[in-house]
Amino acid sequence: MALLFICEGEDPTDWESALRAEIPDLDMRVWPDRVGNPDEIDIVLTWQPPRGLLATFPNLKAILSLGAGIEHILRDPELPPGIPVARLIDPGLQSGMVEFVTMEVLRHHRREPEYRAQQRAGDWRLLRQSLSCDRRIGILGLGHLGAACGEMLTRFGFPVSGWARTEKDLPGIASYTGEDGLFSLLERSDILVCLLPLTPDTEDILDATTLGALPRGAVLINTARGKHVVDDDLIEALDSGQLSGATLDVFREEPLPADHPFWSHPNIIVYPHAAAWTLPESAAPVIADNIVRAAEGRELVGQIEVRRGY
Ligand code: NDP
Ligand code: OXD
């Protein structure tokens, strides 16, 4: 089994040692310098493969994403058909996202951005605090990451609701589905967290209409993809007071262009796509399991439905 690692700008050294600790005789190649004969490549492990590249490996048996998101693979118009594609289901990615979302929910809940602004102005003033049971959280996407974030937030006493394609039965989390369900969830979300995959159905989902359906003064935390948000509509919602703040970890264009208004907006907190990382020490056992599954022709863990987009 030859595995090809395709991730521009990432040093493969740690990945090679972590994967070899799992599969000692793994034949691991690295694009673009150590590919060898393309006919020998069985599995690709990748983040943002160049368009058209995957189609150059005629004997591919599986495509494994180095991240939870999969749109960076599916966007390739020459994606070879019929090859199983798997997203990454990684405990480290999950705990990283739970930490990040919890941190940002608590930051907004405890009015930390306002206290920092007051500090810059030398303004000593108490801001009224709310109980967690009075701060309603809505989560778009109740999958591997969204459900885990929701579960953690219920432990703080926040009322949590979630929206998914299919009905969920998660302790303490109210489940919503469909278009009506989306608007029912929005109207009861003081803090809205987006953890949807980017698909044709979810692109631009956070626009003037959906942001306008949130309670006045709500907060948005987007840790999914930049293309979920219509940038101008978000700025308009913040400037009009419809939203009081936003934490953005992901953007339509990354790195966020230097002249983008998000950088300097007083009510936006920007992170450089840092919410959750794929770390070899946590992800290698999961990926190794999928390498073995691919070799044996078994279904992959996290195998996605290509037609559905996630
Ligand atoms: P999953 O595939 O496990 O979960 C996706 C969830 O979204 C599911 O609950 C699914 O519903 C729901 N969903 C999908 N399409 C729709 C739709 N049209 N309408 C309603 N609900 C929908 O993904 P993960 O939780 O693992 O990851 C989510 C996303 O988080 C990734 O795709 C990625 O973009 C982002 N991410 C960002 C990171 C960062 O650092 N910023 C790090 C890791 C991930 P159902 O359960 O019914 O199928
Ligand atoms: C991912 C990400 O999809 O880091 O895993 O964005």
Side-chain angles (χ1 to χ4, degrees), residues 34 45 47 58 60 70 82-83 102 109 117 139 141 157 159 171 177 231 266 284 291 302:
R34 286 194 284 130
L45 174 62
W47 179 254
L60 214 48
I70 210 79
I83 312 286
T102 305
H109 171 58
I139 303 179
T177 60
D231 291 2
I291 293 171

Side-chain angles (χ1 to χ4, degrees), residues 47 67-69 93 225 273 276:
W47 179 254
L93 208 50
R225 287 292 181 261
H273 201 141

Side-chain angles (χ1 to χ4, degrees), residues 12-135:
T13 317
D14 290 348
W15 282 102
E16 289 200 77
S17 45
L19 287 171
R20 288 229 171 82
E22 302 293 326
I23 307 177
D25 59 351
L26 180 69
D27 174 7
M28 178 160 159
R29 324 259 179 108
V30 179
W31 181 84
D33 301 327
R34 286 194 284 130
V35 177
N37 180 352
D39 295 358
E40 292 168 4
I41 302 301
D42 299 293
I43 302 169
V44 155
L45 174 62
T46 187
W47 179 254
Q48 298 186 337
R51 286 166 207 236
L53 180 63
L54 298 178
T56 64
F57 307 112
N59 296 313
L60 214 48
K61 294 173 185 61
I63 300 168
L64 310 180
S65 172
L66 269 165
I70 210 79
E71 81 296 338
H72 61 101
I73 293 170
L74 301 187
R75 68 182 178 179
D76 184 348
E78 293 167 55
L79 185 69
I83 312 286
V85 179
R87 72 188 208 277
L88 182 63
I89 300 184
D90 164 23
L93 208 50
Q94 188 188 56
S95 59
M97 186 58 82
V98 169
E99 289 165 9
F100 185 89
V101 167
T102 305
M103 172 175 81
E104 290 305 303
V105 165
L106 291 177
R107 181 199 299 284
H108 290 288
H109 171 58
R110 296 305 305 259
R111 307 181 70 171
E112 196 270 351
E114 291 163 88
Y115 279 121
R116 291 288 73 77
Q118 288 190 186
Q119 180 180 355
R120 285 191 291 277
D123 181 5
W124 177 280
R125 194 158 40 92
L126 277 179
L127 300 171
R128 194 183 189 289
Q129 181 52 39
S130 301
L131 295 170
S132 59
C133 62
D134 292 328
R135 185 90 63 192

Side-chain angles (χ1 to χ4, degrees), residues 75-291:
R75 68 182 178 179
D76 184 348
E78 293 167 55
L79 185 69
I83 312 286
V85 179
R87 72 188 208 277
L88 182 63
I89 300 184
D90 164 23
L93 208 50
Q94 188 188 56
S95 59
M97 186 58 82
V98 169
E99 289 165 9
F100 185 89
V101 167
T102 305
M103 172 175 81
E104 290 305 303
V105 165
L106 291 177
R107 181 199 299 284
H108 290 288
H109 171 58
R110 296 305 305 259
R111 307 181 70 171
E112 196 270 351
E114 291 163 88
Y115 279 121
R116 291 288 73 77
Q118 288 190 186
Q119 180 180 355
R120 285 191 291 277
D123 181 5
W124 177 280
R125 194 158 40 92
L126 277 179
L127 300 171
R128 194 183 189 289
Q129 181 52 39
S130 301
L131 295 170
S132 59
C133 62
D134 292 328
R135 185 90 63 192
R136 300 159 301 173
I137 313 292
I139 303 179
L140 301 180
L142 277 181
H144 184 61
L145 302 179
C149 293
E151 195 268 326
M152 176 61 83
L153 292 169
T154 61
R155 293 202 227 165
F156 285 90
F158 295 110
V160 179
S161 306
W163 186 65
R165 219 172 37 81
T166 54
E167 190 85 32
K168 303 289 173 216
D169 183 13
L170 298 167
I173 303 180
S175 168
Y176 292 89
T177 60
E179 172 124 2
D180 289 351
L182 172 62
F183 282 88
S184 299
L185 174 132
L186 292 171
E187 70 186 28
R188 66 195 74 212
S189 297
D190 301 310
I191 299 180
L192 182 71
V193 179
C194 182
L195 269 168
L196 288 165
L198 181 65
T199 69
D201 289 338
T202 65
E203 186 164 345
D204 294 334
I205 190 166
L206 296 168
D207 61 6
T209 305
T210 48
L211 296 176
L214 291 164
R216 192 161 177 82
V219 164
L220 171 68
I221 298 174
N222 185 21
T223 55
R225 287 292 181 261
K227 285 185 177 169
H228 287 125
V229 175
V230 178
D231 291 2
D232 290 344
D233 291 3
L234 174 59
I235 288 180
E236 171 63 32
L238 287 163
D239 289 347
S240 69
Q242 167 58 16
L243 292 193
S244 63
T247 291
L248 305 178
D249 181 54
V250 285
F251 304 92
R252 284 180 175 265
E253 189 181 341
E254 297 183 2
L256 183 63
D259 60 351
H260 197 288
F262 285 168
W263 277 116
S264 56
H265 197 287
N267 297 335
I268 293 180
I269 297 168
V270 167
Y271 287 88
H273 201 141
W277 283 39
T278 303
L279 296 170
E281 55 270 36
S282 147
V286 183
I287 292 168
D289 178 38
N290 263 344
I291 293 171

